[in-house]
Structure formats: structure tokens, C-alpha cells
Amino acid sequence: MPKVKPHRTSPSLDMTPMVDLAFLLVTFFMLTTKFAPEESVVVDTPSSVSELKLPENNVITLTVDKNKRVFFGVDAKQTKIQALQRVGAKYGVNFTAAQAKEFGDLPNFGLPISQLGSYLDMAKEDRKQVNDKQPGVPLDSLNNQLVDWVLEARRANQAIFHKPTYIAIKGDGNADVPTVQKVIKVLQEKDINRFNLITDMENKPVAASR
Amino acid sequence: MAEIQQKAQSGGKGGKKRAKKMSTKIDMTPMVDLAFLLLTFFMLTTTFAKPNVMQLTMPVKKTDDVEDTKIKASQAMTILLGKDNKAYYYFGLNTPADKTVPKPEMKVTNFSANGIRQVLLTRQRQKPEPIILIKPTEDAKYKNMVDILDEMNITNQKKYALVKAPKEDLDLIKESAL
């Protein structure tokens, strides 16, 4: 009697569902996300139940990190460049065209204007090294550059896009309140009273018994 | 390779040459590789579009000729944000200079769902339309501030304000030793 050979099946897997799933996820990520701009500081925002969305453009972002530093950023490139020139003119600092172009690509920064030029001259990779050492935009009463940045960015945005700007405060959960309040206070002195606090999403609790 | 092509049996009787039967299966491994590569790429380089925001409207800057709005002691409630995620609160007003007003009783709670939220809801039921003064102290975290403003939204408070913590309130925290 001949030996009964077991029927050999080829060890192939049907990968179609896996491909389906993978591409589904790819599509999902492509549609719901946008490219993260490389910011000079990483903050972990607290969460809230607010369902309002940050507007797409005309946003001035003031980032407060946990080391009491304040970073300034505007979204539109032209606004940024124009604001740079105006603030530079006010403090007597001139920027070359190349520096202005670099600045336009920068998502945010936290430097006094006098140090901004040398920072812009650096190569992109070198900049990452010094990002941790950025001192933040000065905002004390003697040397209040933050207000100038905000006002000039607003004016530039108004001139270019004819739209008002939103001011978003992006604070780290561990940032201290005095710094945030200081930011709010210096802006309030210029009659800017409406702020957006950037938060993560959190589900609305149902336990709110009444 | 996930697939092993089985060799077609050759030899035997030299009959008609049959067209080689190809398997209809396609090796999808490279496709899966590619898909997951793209997936990882998108997961790492992107953020979810548009973060959420919370509106915060501060009162218009005070001018000298406008007096402070008077708050009735029966409506007032103060929440002080302390360190270590503590929320101190008391009802009424704290005026140590005015001896006719009894000193408010300081209580402490936290930011969980059973903490300050229940206090606010209970207060709302007892005394409709309270005016809530939120006073973050120096030690408070920004997260606490967002949390408490969030509670205002959750509990539907109509009147609340973010103010600086005065010295009297800080003394009260010290005295209460909570």
C-alpha cells in the first residue's frame, strides 16, 4: 500500500482584508489630518469640552510653555514678513530679504528681536539645537515686544487680507497661570479682550445632574 | 515570499502540451508593505486638523470713572485655584476690613467630576444665578484654569469672571490650613 501523502497546501495568506484595512486607515489619516508644522516648542494642551474649532486662517498663536516662555506665531507668510519688517523698523533692526524669507517659513519663535537675525541665518538643522534655549519673546513692561508683534501682525493681516485676526493662546497644561495672565494683561492694555484658548477635545460628561 | 509556486508536473506521456496553468493569486505583500509605510508616515507627520478652542472674553479695560460693579454677598462665590490641583472655595465676600461681615468659611475640593462640579450644581440649585469669581493663585497650573472655565461651561454658569487673587484671599487659604 502506498503511503498516503498529506495534501500540501501552499502557505499563502489572503492578504486582501489587510490591504483593505491599511488603505482605509491611510485614507482616514489623509483626510482628517494636516501636516504638523515643526514648531520650536512642544506643548501639551489641556482638554476641555468646548466644541468650537480654531479658525483656519488669520490666527495669531501665542504659545506659553512650562518654562514661562512665550512664543509668537502667525499663520500667513506675507503677514509674518510684513510684521517682521515693521517690528524691525521700530527697534532699529534690519533684515535682509533672505532672512525675511526664512522668517516666513518659521511657524513660531521665542526670541527678542535683536537675536532674531542670527537665528534666521542658521541652517534649519542648527536651529533645532538652539530651540530649547530660546528665551521667549520679552513681554515685561520695559521691553514689551510681544505687544508690538501682535499689533503689527494684526495690522499687516488687516492690510493684506482685510480680515480681523483671532488670538489663540496655546498653553501647556503645566504652564503657570501668572505667565498666561501676564500675556492676557499686556494684550488687554491694548484693548484686545477676546481670546481663544487652544484645548484638546474631551467628551462632555453626562453626569451633570440637575 | 508568502507564496510558493507549485511546479507543474512535467514529463509523463508526451501528450499535448498544455498551457501552463497560472495561479490567479497575486502576492500582495509589497502592497501591504506600502500601505503600512504610508500609514506610519501619515501618523507621524500629521496632526488632526483644527484644534478645539475655548472662547475667553475678558472685560473691557477699566477706566477710572467707571466704578467696580458691586456684587451682592449672597450671590458671590469665590473659587481659588491653588497648588497640587486644589480648588478652594467659599461663598459670600471676604472683607477682613469690614467687621460687620462674617468671615467666610473656606472649603477645599478638586477638579474631578465629583469635586467642584457638584459644588457648583448644588449652589446653583440653592441660589440661582450665582456670580462666580475665579481667582488663580501663583501656584496654579494653566490646566486648572482651563478646567475651571470648562466647568463653567458644563454647569451653565451665566456670570463668572477671571480675576487676580487678592492678598486677603491668600491669607484665608493660609489660615484655613486646608
Side-chain angles (χ1 to χ4, degrees):
Chain A
M1 216 170 125
K3 243 190 232 165
V4 180
K5 263 192 196 158
H7 186 66
R8 224 185 262 161
T9 46
S10 71
S12 86
L13 272 172
D14 188 9
M15 289 210 202
T16 325
M18 196 156 145
V19 176
D20 287 354
L21 177 76
F23 274 103
L24 195 92
L25 284 171
V26 170
T27 332
F28 170 74
F29 273 98
M30 277 171 73
L31 295 179
T32 58
T33 62
K34 65 175 181 201
F35 281 94
E38 218 175 288
E39 300 201 357
S40 39
V41 64
V42 180
V43 295
D44 185 15
T45 51
S47 58
S48 82
V49 297
S50 172
E51 278 158 15
L52 291 167
K53 294 278 178 210
L54 187 70
E56 294 255 357
N57 29 36
N58 310 314
V59 180
I60 295 173
T61 317
L62 304 175
T63 312
V64 182
D65 86 338
K66 50 184 175 242
N67 301 325
K68 304 184 185 211
R69 300 183 297 173
V70 182
F71 290 73
F72 174 88
V74 205
D75 51 354
K77 212 181 230 182
Q78 296 142 286
T79 312
K80 234 183 275 180
I81 292 169
Q82 201 167 341
L84 176 77
Q85 280 156 353
R86 294 235 188 126
V87 178
K90 189 176 168 183
Y91 287 91
V93 187
N94 284 317
F95 294 96
T96 61
Q99 283 174 333
K101 194 183 163 290
E102 275 297 313
F103 186 74
D105 294 331
L106 220 60
N108 62 4
F109 69 94
L111 289 165
I113 192 147
S114 52
Q115 293 174 27
L116 200 55
S118 53
Y119 179 69
L120 291 171
D121 284 335
M122 281 183 209
K124 273 209 173 70
E125 290 303 313
D126 296 340
R127 250 182 246 160
K128 275 184 205 156
Q129 309 288 320
V130 292
N131 272 346
D132 288 341
K133 297 187 199 98
Q134 290 196 32
V137 182
L139 74 152
D140 40 56
S141 48
L142 287 174
N143 184 15
N144 200 337
Q145 292 178 10
L146 187 76
V147 161
D148 291 318
W149 279 110
V150 172
L151 292 180
E152 293 304 344
R154 277 185 127 198
R155 198 174 304 157
N157 201 68
Q158 186 71 42
I160 298 168
F161 299 107
H162 308 291
K163 293 249 174 64
T165 44
Y166 301 90
I167 294 186
I169 296 178
K170 188 174 178 185
D172 193 282
N174 283 321
D176 58 341
V177 176
T179 313
V180 178
Q181 277 189 320
K182 206 157 77 182
V183 172
I184 293 178
K185 202 174 143 235
V186 295
L187 295 178
Q188 266 193 290
E189 274 161 19
K190 299 287 174 199
D191 277 328
I192 301 169
N193 291 311
R194 193 174 282 265
F195 304 96
N196 293 305
L197 307 180
I198 297 184
T199 56
D200 280 346
M201 205 161 56
E202 181 184 303
N203 286 332
K204 196 155 188 152
V206 277
S209 56
R210 40 194 57 240
Chain B
M1 276 292 165
E3 217 155 330
I4 293 166
Q5 215 88 26
Q6 245 140 4
K7 257 198 187 147
Q9 218 78 357
S10 61
K13 289 153 206 164
K16 245 194 257 165
K17 221 180 202 173
R18 284 220 184 136
K20 222 194 247 169
K21 234 188 205 168
M22 294 290 274
S23 89
T24 46
K25 269 189 188 157
I26 306 163
D27 186 7
M28 286 209 198
T29 326
M31 198 158 150
V32 178
D33 287 354
L34 178 74
F36 275 99
L37 196 90
L38 281 173
L39 188 59
T40 346
F41 172 73
F42 275 101
M43 275 170 76
L44 293 180
T45 58
T46 60
T47 48
F48 278 93
K50 284 195 271 175
N52 284 37
V53 291
M54 207 156 79
Q55 282 280 2
L56 174 65
T57 313
M58 297 297 283
V60 179
K61 190 173 53 171
K62 246 189 300 187
T63 43
D64 291 333
D65 49 299
V66 181
E67 237 182 274
D68 268 349
T69 345
K70 286 272 177 288
I71 300 169
K72 264 196 276 174
S74 63
Q75 281 180 314
M77 170 177 180
T78 299
I79 302 172
L80 286 143
L81 314 179
K83 62 176 156 196
D84 302 330
N85 298 323
K86 276 185 196 162
Y88 300 93
Y89 65 95
Y90 63 83
F91 304 113
L93 294 170
N94 180 25
T95 44
D98 188 356
K99 293 282 176 245
T100 54
V101 183
K103 204 184 229 177
E105 191 194 343
M106 187 70 115
K107 292 186 194 111
V108 70
T109 182
N110 55 16
F111 292 96
S112 68
N114 293 321
I116 194 76
R117 188 177 306 158
Q118 296 309 321
V119 176
L120 287 167
L121 289 170
T122 322
R123 185 65 179 176
Q124 217 170 14
R125 250 174 314 206
Q126 289 165 350
K127 285 241 166 68
E129 297 203 10
I131 297 169
I132 295 158
L133 302 168
I134 302 165
K135 300 175 184 175
T137 65
E138 298 272 308
D139 308 311
K141 298 268 176 246
Y142 173 66
K143 184 171 172 291
N144 299 148
M145 193 177 108
V146 172
D147 278 347
I148 198 76
L149 292 171
D150 206 25
E151 293 298 330
M152 296 296 129
N153 284 335
I154 295 171
T155 56
N156 268 323
Q157 301 294 341
K158 296 285 182 304
K159 283 182 181 166
Y160 57 90
L162 197 64
V163 286
K164 223 171 138 49
K167 206 182 154 294
E168 297 90 63
D169 283 2
L170 298 177
D171 290 343
L172 202 63
I173 294 182
K174 254 185 230 151
E175 277 169 41
S176 67
L178 284 170

